[in-house]
Amino acid sequence: MGRTFDSILETVGNTPVVRINNLAPPDVTLYVKVESFNPLGSVKDRLALGVIEDAERTGALKPGQTIVESTSGNTGIGLAMVCAQKGYPLVITMTETFSVERRKLMRFLGAKVVLTPAAERSTGMIEKAKELAERHGWFMTRQFENEANPDYHSATTAQEILRDFEGERLDYWVSGYGTGGTLKGVARVLADRRPDTKIVVCEAVEAPVVSSGLPQEKDADGFPVGTHPAYNPHPMQGWGPNFMSRLTGDTVDMGIIHKAVTITGPQAIACSQDLAKKEGIFVGITSGATFAGALKVCEEAPSGSVVLCMLPDTGERYLSTDLFDGVPEVMSDAEREIAASTPNHRLD
Ligand code: PMP
């Protein structure tokens, strides 16, 4: 990278934008922004650093205070890295259904992981974190509503995109949403600085929360209450929770979303596998899903268009999930044939 770094935290962000050479239609230029280049392998390293440094600046987080957050994994892993470097104890609450390697990774990085029942969905893990924060006086990062989350994306992710496409065409920016931090933070800057760039949002076909146009029930303070009417459980770990987050809702209300595209689980997995096998880009399920959305955009885009697709995390986080179904441990017939084609070192 041409420099030395004072801590691992300085390596967050500045992820590469890479052209797709084998999977894009010939008349469209498709780029991906590969967030797995962050030190702990996902876009959420940005949020983790952004919310903690913001809380340090405002004094909301005291030296040595325990941090608590509910997360499907990547936020917890990012927070665990930041807490390890800065010396804060960390407690994560997480629905029991998320992949085992995520839990283990957080514990490896020194965090405590408290599991919550699957039946209570995202709401259960969030309420548990609130309960713990109140009881013990811990600092909750509140990733779904903390403005430091989109602010950090406006200050980093969006600026990197402006820099990388300066003087170049950029017709579409394609992203999914979990907290909506990436979406709100980047979309508002593009709407202002690159008004010709169309913002396209991807979501699971089972949970067309944005596409449905249906409102989210909210409390008197404007915070979401209960499950959104269009939500059903979906296979995209890290995408939309069972409510429309305040950050996502803000972006919808700004009227800057050009289009929402829905993606199926099999489409997401096929795209993730294709990215690995045909581009050498190794990413997770929501990356495959966002890429599936970007390919739909490419199909409809005028010839010559330039499309940028966010890829939120690494595929390594999904070894125990459907993404690796059909990837065998034992040798296939073709592999046995190769082994048998020379006389020695055979495992017959
Ligand atoms: N994909 C994955 C794998 C994630 O973990 C997340 C964050 N939960 C997202 C996408 C969405 O990012 P954001 O929270 O910024 O909307």
Side-chain angles (χ1 to χ4, degrees), residues 326-343:
V327 181
E329 274 176 50
V330 294
M331 279 196 277
S332 66
D333 290 346
E335 287 162 344
R336 284 190 181 284
E337 218 171 282
I338 296 169
S341 66
T342 60

Side-chain angles (χ1 to χ4, degrees), residues 42-44 47 71-75 102 143-144 149 153 175-183 236-240 248 284-287 290 311-313 318:
S42 94
V43 69
K44 304 314 285 270
L47 155 121
T71 160
S72 64
N74 282 328
T75 298
R102 294 183 180 217
Q143 60 163 337
F144 286 95
N149 172 5
H153 282 287
S175 175
Y177 63 90
T179 63
T182 310
L183 177 65
M236 319 294 192
Q237 277 190 37
W239 264 11
T248 305
I285 298 171
T286 62
S287 297
T290 315
L311 300 183
D313 78 349
Y318 302 87

Side-chain angles (χ1 to χ4, degrees), residues 24 187-188 284:
R188 67 182 169 191

Side-chain angles (χ1 to χ4, degrees), residues 4-128:
T4 58
F5 294 88
D6 286 339
S7 95
I8 193 68
L9 304 181
E10 287 190 353
T11 71
V12 173
N14 276 313
T15 53
V17 165
V18 178
R19 196 179 71 209
I20 294 299
N21 296 303
N22 303 315
L23 295 173
D27 58 337
V28 171
T29 307
L30 174 56
Y31 288 102
V32 289
K33 187 160 170 67
V34 194
E35 291 295 310
S36 60
F37 275 74
N38 281 299
L40 262 292
S42 94
V43 69
K44 304 314 285 270
D45 292 355
R46 297 180 187 263
L47 155 121
L49 186 58
V51 295
I52 289 182
E53 294 205 327
D54 176 72
E56 286 177 333
R57 266 192 305 273
T58 62
L61 174 63
K62 309 283 179 292
Q65 190 178 5
T66 296
I67 293 172
V68 60
E69 183 56 294
S70 63
T71 160
S72 64
N74 282 328
T75 298
I77 293 164
L79 283 172
M81 164 193 58
V82 177
C83 287
Q85 174 57 223
K86 288 178 175 278
Y88 297 105
L90 174 66
V91 176
I92 295 299
T93 62
M94 179 166 135
T95 310
E96 59 181 330
T97 40
F98 293 118
S99 71
V100 168
E101 48 271 49
R102 294 183 180 217
R103 288 181 215 171
K104 285 206 172 186
L105 252 167
M106 285 183 250
R107 288 178 176 142
F108 193 83
L109 286 156
K112 297 221 165 23
V113 181
V114 173
L115 300 176
T116 59
E120 295 182 23
R121 299 180 186 162
S122 314
T123 311
M125 67 183 193
I126 294 168
E127 292 304 319
K128 186 71 185 173

